Amino acid sequence: MADVAVIGAQWGDEGKGKIVDWLSARADVVVRFQGGHNAGHTLVIDGEVYKLSLLPSGVVRKGCKGVIGSGVVVDPFALLAEIERIGAQGVNITPGNLAIAENATLILPLHQELDAMREGSSAGVKLGTTKRGIGPAYEDKAGRRGLRIVDLADLDSLPEKIENLLVHHNALRRGFGHDAADAGALLKMLRAVAPKITPFARPVWRELDAAHKAGKRILFEGAQGVLLDVDHGTYPYVTSSNTVAGQAATGAGLGPRAVGYVLGIVKAYTTRVGEGPFPTELHDAVGQKLGERGHEFGTVTGRQRRCGWFDAALVRQSLKIAGVDGIALTKLDVLDGFDELKVCIGYRINGETYDYLPAGAGNQAAAEPIYETMEGWDGTSEKARSWAGLPAAAVKYVRRIEELIETPVALVSTSPERDDVILMRDPFQD
């Protein structure tokens, strides 16, 4: 049996929540390994809709343990609010079914304030962040001044650590014309939240190592997507963490051999939230139809997603960078009823042809898609659970995508419902 890492292979919003939930039915542990509470994973179980941002998807399932790894930045206040919200839906979150890495970095209110200052400034590049303080928290982590979960268990050391942190932040705040942060107020806030968070904190690497040695099935749950990776994405319009499969080991605290199979989640068309290049974006009725049929609004922000045709060149690039073994193709049913479909197979940039998207921002902005046109289908693929349930043209579309991205299709999702899946390869058995 292989432990499985699930990552998004586009710009996020690929439908990871449903696939993770489908896989978590057979997992013993589900681990979040990067990102923060900007993830938006929607799960539909027996008609009940769960919207998770920070909690691992496995926590809504009895007998499955959730772990938040050290690669995640944790807003303690958002976490407690999410625990309370999920609790109101009948899911009781306790230290028995949720563990948080004691060395995970905290997101503080001053991180959110800095995010808002930057996005609201007339200077600099607008990145279109969710303004949840995630990027600034990662900056403090890399700068070795961040506060961590473990610091909440040592309250006597907090004043000195807060002062060290504010030397940096107050200089930035003055630059934006804002008052200095109140160290006393921040200390009071952290003292109040500490007893609610520390019961969940422990060295999760030990628990994961024990689970791995015992043959437990571990599912690593990624957030965002490869094209938002801070190293490999469309920089600077990226998130502040590594979203590729290699981060699953680092952000959880296990060696790379622990990840046996990498499943990339790929939407049957393309969407993006926020700023940045998007070669196949559609500004016409077709793009609007994709958005309406796919209910393309951000789970976390509510922002309308930009929509476009499937970009096989970009997905192929993502899958190779991330080391993906197979993909789960989601939202195929959204394409029902289109007369024709287009798939991007490369780009024209300043008179030259590329079969990948170059790293330079200027080239990315200038990229014009080269399309291959395919036949649409009149029938419905919605709720299909076998190849026989798909229109013939839909099967051809899936098979052609498989050829273009040079990676096998392991699963096809045909509705938001968990069980509406066509299974070709079981990632846990691969």
Side-chain angles (χ1 to χ4, degrees):
M1 293 184 296
D3 291 336
V4 177
V6 174
I7 62 171
Q10 293 157 303
W11 280 292
D13 306 312
E14 300 96 347
K16 292 183 291 295
K18 171 191 168 170
I19 301 301
V20 168
D21 176 55
W22 188 84
L23 289 169
S24 69
R26 289 167 295 152
D28 300 298
V29 184
V30 178
V31 188
R32 276 286 312 275
F33 59 84
Q34 50 77 220
H37 60 302
N38 57 341
H41 294 177
T42 301
L43 291 73
V44 182
I45 304 173
D46 298 329
E48 183 78 22
V49 178
Y50 301 94
K51 295 186 177 183
L52 305 180
S53 295
L54 184 57
L55 290 172
S57 295
V59 298
V60 301
R61 188 173 299 287
K62 290 182 180 179
C64 188
K65 187 172 186 176
V67 172
I68 296 176
S70 60
V72 178
V73 285
V74 179
D75 182 328
F77 310 101
L79 174 62
L80 292 174
E82 189 169 334
I83 288 174
E84 182 178 355
R85 176 167 52 80
I86 296 300
Q89 293 183 267
V91 179
N92 189 28
I93 306 298
T94 71
N97 61 7
L98 176 66
I100 305 174
E102 60 185 2
N103 53 334
T105 298
L106 292 169
I107 298 175
L108 305 172
L110 55 83
H111 293 128
Q112 296 163 344
E113 292 165 6
L114 178 57
D115 231 349
M117 290 175 201
R118 288 170 170 168
E119 287 294 314
S121 173
S122 58
V125 177
K126 300 297 182 294
L127 301 178
T129 76
T130 56
K131 301 180 184 177
R132 281 164 167 72
I134 292 164
Y138 273 115
E139 290 175 32
D140 284 342
K141 176 181 179 177
R144 294 164 292 182
R145 57 182 168 265
L147 301 184
R148 304 190 298 172
I149 294 286
V150 70
D151 294 326
L152 298 178
D154 184 13
L155 297 177
D156 291 340
S157 71
L158 271 179
E160 181 179 353
K161 291 176 179 177
I162 289 173
E163 289 297 335
N164 180 58
L165 179 65
L166 293 189
V167 168
H168 174 79
H169 276 270
N170 283 338
L172 292 174
R173 294 171 71 92
R174 286 193 295 271
F176 282 106
H178 286 255
D179 294 335
D182 187 333
L186 179 56
L187 177 61
K188 182 179 179 181
M189 193 179 298
L190 292 175
R191 285 184 183 276
V193 80
K196 301 175 183 178
I197 295 294
T198 51
F200 296 97
R202 42 196 186 268
V204 300
W205 62 269
R206 295 189 64 187
E207 297 186 13
L208 291 173
D209 178 64
H212 183 67
K213 287 179 177 177
K216 302 289 187 181
R217 287 176 168 177
I218 302 174
L219 183 61
F220 301 90
E221 177 183 12
Q224 291 84 49
V226 175
L227 297 176
L228 293 173
D229 185 278
V230 69
D231 287 310
H232 303 290
T234 49
Y235 190 90
Y237 303 99
V238 293
T239 193
S240 298
S241 61
N242 287 113
T243 59
V244 293
Q247 179 64 21
T250 303
L254 283 172
R257 291 186 181 87
V259 181
Y261 186 95
V262 180
L263 182 68
I265 314 301
V266 177
K267 193 178 287 186
Y269 49 102
T270 310
T271 62
R272 179 167 198 168
V273 171
E275 305 298 325
F278 185 170
T280 66
E281 183 173 11
L282 298 170
H283 300 280
D284 56 13
V286 174
Q288 184 176 353
K289 183 177 178 180
L290 286 171
E292 290 173 351
R293 294 205 59 192
H295 306 290
E296 296 297 350
F297 295 90
T299 301
V300 172
T301 64
R303 290 184 293 179
Q304 186 169 357
R305 297 176 185 135
R306 300 154 64 189
C307 297
W309 292 121
F310 186 82
D311 192 332
L314 202 48
V315 169
R316 181 176 61 245
Q317 180 174 334
S318 294
L319 301 181
K320 292 182 182 299
I321 288 170
V324 170
D325 296 298
I327 72 161
L329 189 68
T330 65
K331 290 199 168 185
L332 181 66
D333 54 301
V334 173
L335 300 182
D336 289 351
F338 281 86
D339 293 331
E340 66 176 25
L341 304 169
K342 293 184 179 181
V343 175
C344 175
I345 58 173
Y347 313 99
R348 290 188 185 89
I349 304 174
N350 300 323
E352 294 188 35
T353 300
Y354 291 78
D355 64 355
Y356 70 99
L357 190 65
N363 281 337
Q364 291 179 352
E368 299 177 5
I370 300 170
Y371 284 121
E372 178 178 301
T373 301
M374 298 185 64
E375 177 188 1
W377 54 88
D378 294 326
T380 179
S381 64
E382 187 175 10
K383 295 187 176 298
R385 298 185 183 181
S386 69
W387 282 117
L390 293 178
V395 175
K396 290 180 181 178
Y397 182 77
V398 175
R399 289 307 190 194
R400 181 56 179 152
I401 283 177
E402 195 173 40
E403 292 173 355
L404 290 169
I405 64 176
E406 300 175 4
T407 304
V409 174
L411 307 164
V412 178
S413 171
T414 57
S415 93
E417 291 293 332
R418 182 172 63 88
D419 293 327
D420 290 337
V421 170
I422 301 171
L423 175 64
M424 275 78 79
R425 293 176 177 85
D426 185 344
F428 273 123
Q429 298 295 336
D430 209 283

